Amino acid sequence: GQNIDQPTEMTATEGAIVQINCTYQTSGFNGLFWYQQHAGEAPTFLSYNVLDGLEEKGRFSSFLSRSKGYSYLLLKELQMKDSASYLCAVTGGFKTIFGAGTRLFVKA
Amino acid sequence: KAGVTQTPRYLIKTRGQQVTLSCSPISGHRSVSWYQQTPGQGLQFLFEYFSETQRNKGNFPGRFSGRQFSNSRSEMNVSTLELGDSALYLCASSRQDTDGYTFGSGTRLTVV
C-alpha cells in the first residue's frame, strides 16, 4: 500500500524558521515533491527531490532520505504570505500520491 | 504562456446525472493527471494520461472515466452522480515525469 504522513497543522512566527516533516511508505518511488496551496487556490510546485540530500531554493529547502522514507521542507525567514497548506507528494509508477497536507499559520 | 485551463469552473448537478469535465494542458505537456480534492480526503489520484494512453488509475469506481485526445486535451466523465462526488476536480499537466505539475484552477462540482 501507500501511506504519506505529515502533521496536520503548525504555527510559527514571522521571521522564524519552520520544518515540515513528511514520512512515506510507497510501492515504487521515483521522487518526492513539495507543493504549496493557498486557501481557495490550486497547488503550486515548490521542489523536487530524487536523490538523498538537501536541495536549496531561496528561502525554501527540501531534504530527502530514501532509506528512511523521510523528507522535510524547511522555510526560512517566514513571511505572512507563507501561511498556506504544504503538500508532500511521492511519485512513481506513473502516478503522484499526495499527503493530506500541513496547514501552516504564520503569526506576527 | 497559457496555463492549464479547466472548464467549467463551477457545476451543479442532480444525483443520477452524468458530467463531463474538460482540461487543456500547457502547450507541449503530454502528461495529464486528474485529482479529486475534498476537505476530508485531500487530493485523491484519479488517473494519469500520456499520449492518449491511461498509464495509471486510482481507486475510484468505474463511474469515473477519462480520456486524452491527440492534442493532449483531456476529459473526465462521472456517470450516475452521487452526493459524495461533490468536490473540487483538479487537472494537472507536466512535460515529463520528473517535472512538477502545473495545476488548473479546478472545476467545483456540487451534486444535489
Side-chain angles (χ1 to χ4, degrees):
Chain A
Q2 299 185 307
N3 193 48
I4 300 175
D5 288 318
Q6 45 181 137
T8 304
E9 287 186 0
M10 298 181 72
T11 300
T13 304
E14 193 175 18
I17 299 173
V18 70
Q19 178 175 313
I20 302 174
N21 296 324
C22 170
T23 58
Y24 63 89
Q25 292 175 306
T26 60
S27 53
F29 177 88
N30 287 344
L32 187 143
F33 290 96
W34 284 95
Y35 287 83
Q36 179 191 60
Q37 186 175 27
H38 285 100
E41 298 181 10
T44 56
F45 167 80
L46 287 177
S47 67
Y48 176 62
N49 293 72
V50 61
L51 301 175
D52 286 359
L54 187 68
E55 295 278 345
E56 297 187 75
K57 190 184 293 186
R59 293 190 300 116
F60 293 6
S61 302
S62 56
F63 172 83
L64 175 66
S65 169
R66 294 176 66 132
S67 61
K68 296 182 179 178
Y70 168 70
S71 173
Y72 66 75
L73 180 69
L74 194 70
L75 292 76
K76 304 175 187 175
E77 301 170 13
L78 279 173
Q79 302 175 10
M80 299 298 288
K81 68 178 182 179
D82 297 329
S83 292
S85 287
Y86 291 86
L87 310 175
C88 171
V90 172
T91 188
F94 307 124
K95 65 180 177 181
T96 299
I97 303 301
F98 285 78
T102 298
R103 291 189 67 186
L104 175 65
F105 297 94
V106 179
K107 58 183 183 179
Chain B
K1 59 181 179 182
V4 178
T5 304
Q6 290 188 247
T7 56
R9 287 295 308 276
Y10 301 92
L11 208 48
I12 300 176
K13 289 285 189 180
T14 306
R15 273 182 302 174
Q17 287 188 312
Q18 70 142 15
V19 67
T20 299
L21 311 182
S22 180
C23 171
S24 294
I26 290 174
S27 178
H29 286 195
R30 291 195 289 167
S31 172
V32 174
S33 296
W34 288 90
Y35 289 85
Q36 180 194 67
Q37 187 172 34
T38 58
Q41 297 294 320
L43 277 161
Q44 299 293 307
F45 173 74
L46 282 157
F47 7 74
E48 192 268 358
Y49 289 91
F50 185 89
S51 293
E52 302 179 68
T53 300
Q54 185 184 89
R55 296 196 295 184
N56 211 332
K57 62 178 297 187
N59 297 323
F60 279 81
R63 301 185 295 107
F64 291 80
S65 63
R67 59 180 176 169
Q68 186 181 34
F69 302 95
S70 59
N71 62 357
S72 293
R73 190 177 71 85
S74 178
E75 288 182 348
M76 66 163 282
N77 184 77
V78 188
S79 62
T80 320
L81 283 166
E82 300 177 359
L83 295 180
D85 297 333
S86 294
L88 180 66
Y89 290 87
L90 289 165
C91 167
S93 74
S94 64
R95 190 169 51 89
Q96 57 188 27
D97 292 344
T98 55
D99 292 343
Y101 285 147
T102 299
F103 282 86
S105 298
T107 294
R108 183 163 297 281
L109 171 66
T110 302
V111 183
V112 298

